[in-house]
Amino acid sequence: MLDRLHGLIEMSRQTRMPGLLVHGASGIGKTMIARNLSRRYAPEYDPESGVTHTPLLLLQAPPAPDERRFYMHILAAVGAPSSTLSLKAQSVASLEVRVVGLLRDLGLRMIMIDEVHNLLAGTHREQRRFLNVLRYLSNELEASLVCYGVSEAVDAIRGDVQLARRLDEHHLPNWRDDAEFSDMIQTLIAAMPLEKKSNLQVRSLKQILALTGGVTSRIFALVKDLSIDAIISGDECVTDDAIAKWTPVWSRHANAQRRLEKSGA
């Protein structure tokens, strides 16, 4: 998928630029991928021309499909003068012209929208209008559009047939019990500041999957938590026994909560 993203941002410009819709479970790593690519294509200032080139713009979809709020967010993201941002009375059409002009001057090649499933918080009409805005910006700027969201994001994008045809869908599955997962765990543990090597058995890897559901953010939280415990205890490595005894952070207080509920507290 990363090769596909690099290809989109480097490809020759055209009026109907292809794009990508990346979707998967919450915490699977969509935002991590977006931020990684954003750092790779960070804005660069050209001292000779006095122009800052911004090939990629990463934005978060507003909590609801609001065109004005979205345009104001873009202006803030590219560092537009505060005087412009304070003109809340400005029409949506004026903001649109301002945004397109600025992004064209910056040489934008890709627009990435995270949390695109937020569109579903609006009415059908509001969703359609917001999707029209995304398609319009992509067309006007000849920029690729990449959207990230949970599975519901697919329904949000399909609200605009023309846009949906342009965005290839890429599903990020939860981690599975395979060699790739084993390599990831070993790499992650090796990155922790532990003095000893952790030699985990296969059953421990299966236990990690069972505890986390194969969700990336939970896996990271587990390894970090176990590493801290290993440093505090002096073991200096993640052990099979520690994994077997580990209680998920997200459910550690579940029993106490149930007791409180039963007592009427």
Side-chain angles (χ1 to χ4, degrees), residues 122-138:
T123 64
H124 179 69
R125 181 181 179 183
E126 290 172 335
Q127 292 177 42
R128 291 297 300 274
R129 290 180 62 178
F130 194 86
L131 291 171
N132 283 341
V133 168
L134 296 184
R135 179 158 44 84
Y136 169 77
L137 289 176
S138 177

Side-chain angles (χ1 to χ4, degrees), residues 35-56:
R35 290 178 177 173
N36 189 344
L37 194 67
S38 180
R39 286 192 293 269
R40 179 169 299 220
Y41 290 95
E44 293 184 357
Y45 177 72
D46 183 353
E48 293 186 5
S49 63
V51 176
T52 298
H53 296 287
T54 305
L56 187 155

Side-chain angles (χ1 to χ4, degrees), residues 14-36:
Q14 58 191 59
T15 305
R16 300 290 186 269
M17 288 293 295
L20 195 62
L21 169 59
V22 182
H23 59 95
S26 177
I28 201 63
K30 301 178 296 296
T31 299
M32 187 187 307
I33 292 172
R35 290 178 177 173
N36 189 344

Side-chain angles (χ1 to χ4, degrees), residues 192 194 221-239 242-243 245-247 249 252:
M192 298 293 115
L194 299 173
L222 179 150
V223 172
K224 180 180 179 180
D225 202 30
L226 287 174
S227 298
I228 292 173
D229 289 344
I231 293 173
I232 293 175
S233 67
D235 291 336
E236 289 296 340
C237 67
V238 177
T239 65
I243 292 175
K245 295 178 179 179
W246 190 78
T247 303
V249 177
R252 246 170 225 184

